[in-house]
Amino acid sequence: MPKSSLIVNSDFLRETASDLRKDFYELEFLCSSTLTNLNNFRYRLLKNKKNLLPETGNIVFQELVRVEKIFTNFRSGIEKSASELSKSQDNFHDLTKLISLKNAYYDLYRANLGMVGALITSCDWQSLSSDFSLTTQAGMQTGKIEATFNDYKRDHHLDQKPYEEMFIKEYVAVKNKHSWKTLAVSSGQAAFTTILNYLAMEGKLRKKVLLGKSSYFQYKNLAVKLLRNKVIEVDETETDKIISLIKRHQPGVIFLDSLCNSKSIAVADLTKIIDFLAKKYKHEVYLVIDNTGLSVSFSSWESLGKNNFLKPIIFESLIKYLQFGLDRVNGGIIITTNSIASQLFEYRKNLGTNIADSSVYLLPRPNRKMLKLRLERFERNARLLTLYLHDFLSQNKTNMENVFYPCLANHEAYNRTKDWWFHGCFFNLKFKPEFETTSFYKNFIRLVITHARKNKIELVGGTSFGLNQTRIYLTSLWTDFGEPFLRIAVGSETRLEVESIKRVLADSILKFDSKIPRSILTEIKKLKKRLHLDRVI
């Protein structure tokens, strides 16, 4: 991070020091989460040592001691680095060194984490024995295996149960938590396919189905191809029309996203729609909500349980926010009422969409306080970048037209979302109409990454969101069920790092004109003239 590229003031330095304290606090939490899992395994290993061959038990225990030491040392090093902040908070050079150290710890933690899941499940079998004559093949779960119920980990395993219970306790904001259950699955996509198959095979899709037009394109693809003429596509921004269509068609299922990962980042008024369904609608309807975009900030839980006609099913990817930037393993979660969960349990089993046993131990243990702190950082960084780019685009003549983010006044849902504490971590850049092509998007991404590399600023060209480094990506490219768009997913960078990213994006936007091949500009001029367009380049 070259100092010359930044206007560094004491406020930025103090805010960066505060950011680093929270980052080291998060790292301590992650290490503690892993050490808790290892400590629980130690207890079970010692308790079940008699069920293991001596050679196996000894080697596994030696490896456990080694791995515990790695993460204990990580935590000690992190605590020591955090203590240095008190004397470094006003020193640019010291803070940049601590930023690099923080990033190194994240990478080391992530790289070593894979050993933990492998170690904790090392004595287990996927096809566990419920009984045995001489030697168990159930490892740490000997004595807990029931034939035809939990003796095949693809169907169901005991490793996932603590995570599922902690998820409800920490992340599902309802008073009657005992009425809700979660089901961990192998990915967010697996969550959707499990839900879709359940609805189809249980005859819940015989009536009309409402589907948000900005729903995630892969889910939309599956739903439209399966249901074809039963689907009524609805515009998430037209709340009254959605309610009118519900009254008229009495759909059996409604699919909506809490925050759409789409070109316009559409935001349905779920509060109003759920309120209508809970208080005034007297027909059975399954409301399926993809909550990956808002995660723990989703605030409509209580209304979902007020009406026996309303059947809520919420799902979320575990590789985005809930993995705290580790991007280490795929996973998904389904949250629903007990009665629906018991049926979905069977479909998860029969569809083979269950989460892997080792994957559970690579997920940070659910912690609402820590996740909220992380989302608040995303919110801060997204606001800083989008407000800056909004002003920058209004003051400069460029090929870019706008920036879309739900906390900006130009977003169509702003009046409803302006008081939210979290608006998602991604925003979209919109070029002027003549430059809205995939080739221009790709050229711009290359320019941004090249400019960041030249200035030694961390930036990633890649998919997904909720990670530690800001990412730029061309989304929805190979599909007929979504329009390609340029998305920037902010990371959890410190204030100083965000200031550097601002300059990279602004400079890249200004330089984009000069990087467009003259032959392409000539063709655009000819096309505009042929179409009798008024604007010229």
Side-chain angles (χ1 to χ4, degrees):
M1 186 194 309
K3 185 171 181 177
S4 59
S5 66
L6 290 173
I7 300 173
V8 180
N9 61 46
S10 57
D11 289 340
F12 284 177
L13 294 177
R14 280 193 289 270
E15 191 169 355
T16 298
S18 175
D19 290 343
L20 281 168
R21 283 191 188 89
K22 293 173 184 175
D23 290 339
F24 286 126
Y25 182 43
E26 181 177 275
L27 275 165
E28 288 178 42
F29 155 70
L30 292 173
C31 285
S32 296
S33 175
T34 297
L35 286 167
T36 297
N37 285 336
L38 289 170
N39 188 55
N40 290 341
F41 175 63
R42 173 187 280 267
Y43 171 79
R44 289 188 288 124
L45 180 62
L46 294 174
K47 185 178 179 181
N48 289 279
K49 206 168 183 180
K50 63 181 182 296
N51 295 318
L52 304 176
L53 293 174
E55 297 83 359
T56 301
N58 290 335
I59 288 174
V60 171
F61 189 79
Q62 289 171 21
E63 182 65 7
L64 170 61
V65 172
R66 188 184 75 83
V67 174
E68 280 181 323
K69 187 174 181 180
I70 289 173
F71 286 96
T72 300
N73 289 341
F74 278 171
R75 187 168 63 181
S76 297
I78 291 161
E79 289 171 350
K80 182 180 177 182
S81 299
S83 68
E84 295 176 13
L85 280 166
S86 59
K87 58 185 179 183
S88 303
Q89 63 181 11
D90 295 319
N91 188 299
F92 176 88
H93 180 68
D94 288 350
L95 288 175
T96 54
K97 283 173 61 177
L98 285 170
I99 289 171
S100 296
L101 188 60
K102 172 204 72 173
N103 291 336
Y105 272 123
Y106 267 109
D107 201 53
L108 283 168
Y109 172 82
R110 183 185 180 280
N112 283 277
L113 189 60
M115 297 186 296
V116 175
L119 175 63
I120 292 176
T121 57
S122 61
C123 300
D124 291 357
W125 296 60
Q126 293 298 305
S127 309
L128 303 106
S129 59
S130 57
D131 204 353
F132 59 95
S133 60
L134 298 176
T135 306
T136 178
Q137 292 183 350
M140 298 295 96
Q141 297 175 7
T142 298
K144 297 180 180 179
I145 302 305
E146 183 180 341
T148 74
F149 174 62
N150 60 357
D151 58 349
Y152 197 38
K153 285 197 176 188
R154 187 205 67 188
D155 293 348
H156 171 58
H157 52 78
L158 297 176
D159 304 271
Q160 66 200 96
K161 187 176 180 182
Y163 183 86
E164 291 171 341
E165 290 175 347
M166 283 188 289
F167 192 99
I168 285 283
K169 180 182 177 182
E170 291 290 325
Y171 295 149
V172 181
V174 292
K175 294 177 182 176
N176 57 332
K177 291 182 185 287
H178 64 278
S179 300
W180 293 77
K181 272 193 171 28
T182 59
L183 297 167
V185 290
S186 56
S187 66
Q189 191 75 14
F192 182 78
T193 55
T194 303
I195 294 164
L196 187 63
N197 276 276
Y198 159 70
L199 294 171
M201 295 181 193
E202 292 295 320
K204 308 300 182 183
L205 298 174
R206 292 174 183 151
K207 299 165 73 176
K208 291 291 185 182
V209 171
L210 266 56
L211 173 68
K213 77 170 187 178
S214 295
S215 297
Y216 185 55
F217 70 89
Q218 287 186 307
Y219 305 155
K220 192 174 177 181
N221 185 336
L222 295 175
V224 170
K225 287 186 176 179
L226 176 67
L227 302 172
R228 300 192 184 278
N229 61 347
K230 290 183 179 179
V231 171
I232 301 172
E233 194 173 277
V234 297
D235 187 330
E236 289 88 348
T237 66
E238 299 176 344
T239 308
D240 291 338
K241 186 174 180 180
I242 292 173
I243 291 174
S244 176
L245 288 169
I246 294 172
K247 292 176 180 177
R248 188 191 316 164
H249 296 284
Q250 297 180 12
V253 180
I254 301 170
F255 292 100
L256 292 170
D257 291 16
S258 59
L259 178 71
C260 294
N261 180 13
S262 62
K263 190 168 186 175
S264 64
I265 316 184
V267 182
D269 190 349
L270 285 175
T271 300
K272 188 172 181 179
I273 293 169
I274 291 171
D275 190 60
F276 164 75
L277 293 172
K279 295 179 180 178
K280 299 179 182 178
Y281 195 65
K282 304 301 179 185
H283 304 276
E284 182 181 87
V285 60
Y286 284 78
L287 177 61
V288 181
I289 300 172
D290 179 358
N291 190 39
T292 301
L294 289 185
S295 189
V296 73
S297 72
F298 179 68
S299 60
S300 298
W301 286 106
E302 286 297 343
S303 300
L304 288 170
K306 291 183 177 179
N307 184 329
N308 290 332
F309 294 108
L310 176 57
K311 311 291 184 181
I313 307 177
I314 299 92
F315 70 98
E316 186 172 347
S317 168
L318 289 175
I319 202 171
K320 308 298 192 303
Y321 303 127
L322 298 170
Q323 208 162 140
F324 286 77
L326 297 172
D327 199 51
R328 196 65 181 77
V329 62
N330 254 313
I333 197 89
I334 301 171
I335 310 107
T336 189
T337 55
N338 288 336
S339 58
I340 300 174
S342 62
Q343 295 175 296
L344 280 170
F345 179 95
E346 294 300 317
Y347 280 90
R348 179 183 68 176
K349 177 175 71 175
N350 295 331
L351 290 165
T353 56
N354 196 18
I355 192 169
D357 57 350
S358 59
S359 295
V360 174
Y361 299 107
L362 304 188
L363 297 170
R365 295 168 70 84
N367 186 304
R368 187 180 187 88
K369 175 185 175 183
M370 296 305 303
L371 182 58
K372 190 170 185 290
L373 283 173
R374 185 171 180 83
L375 297 189
E376 286 172 347
R377 175 72 63 83
F378 287 136
E379 174 77 6
R380 193 276 308 268
N381 289 352
R383 281 178 179 267
L384 286 172
L385 286 177
T386 54
L387 289 169
Y388 172 79
L389 288 173
H390 180 269
D391 291 343
F392 177 82
L393 292 174
S394 67
Q395 295 166 13
N396 294 274
K397 187 176 181 181
T398 72
N399 294 325
M400 201 164 287
E401 193 172 80
N402 219 333
V403 54
F404 286 113
Y405 185 59
C407 87
L408 295 180
N410 66 355
H411 192 277
E412 56 200 0
Y414 176 72
N415 287 334
R416 287 190 287 106
T417 65
K418 60 184 178 182
D419 295 326
W420 287 5
W421 65 266
F422 182 64
H423 297 82
C425 78
F426 50 83
F427 61 89
N428 300 338
L429 298 176
K430 185 181 186 304
F431 287 88
K432 291 178 179 176
E434 59 266 34
F435 299 105
E436 291 255 277
T437 67
T438 56
S439 61
F440 278 107
Y441 293 153
K442 290 177 180 178
N443 284 334
F444 181 73
I445 292 171
R446 279 193 290 268
L447 178 62
V448 170
I449 297 298
T450 300
H451 190 50
R453 185 183 298 122
K454 181 180 177 182
N455 288 276
K456 294 182 170 49
I457 294 166
E458 193 73 65
L459 206 62
V460 177
T463 187
S464 199
F465 56 87
L467 307 184
N468 288 358
Q469 275 74 45
T470 294
R471 291 178 160 231
I472 183 168
Y473 192 63
L474 173 53
T475 306
S476 304
L477 182 56
W478 305 108
T479 180
D480 295 328
F481 295 89
E483 190 177 353
F485 60 96
L486 192 65
R487 182 185 69 202
I488 294 179
V490 301
S492 59
E493 291 95 348
T494 63
R495 181 60 190 269
L496 282 176
E497 292 171 290
V498 173
E499 293 304 309
S500 295
I501 293 169
K502 279 183 185 179
R503 292 311 318 157
V504 167
L505 293 174
D507 291 346
S508 298
I509 291 169
L510 287 176
K511 289 182 178 180
F512 189 53
D513 278 344
S514 61
K515 293 290 181 180
I516 300 172
R518 192 167 296 278
S519 58
I520 295 179
L521 292 174
T522 302
E523 287 301 313
I524 292 174
K525 286 181 180 179
K526 289 179 180 178
L527 178 62
K528 289 170 68 177
K529 187 175 181 181
R530 192 160 60 245
L531 295 174
H532 304 291
L533 296 177
D534 295 330
R535 269 192 305 187
V536 296
I537 297 174

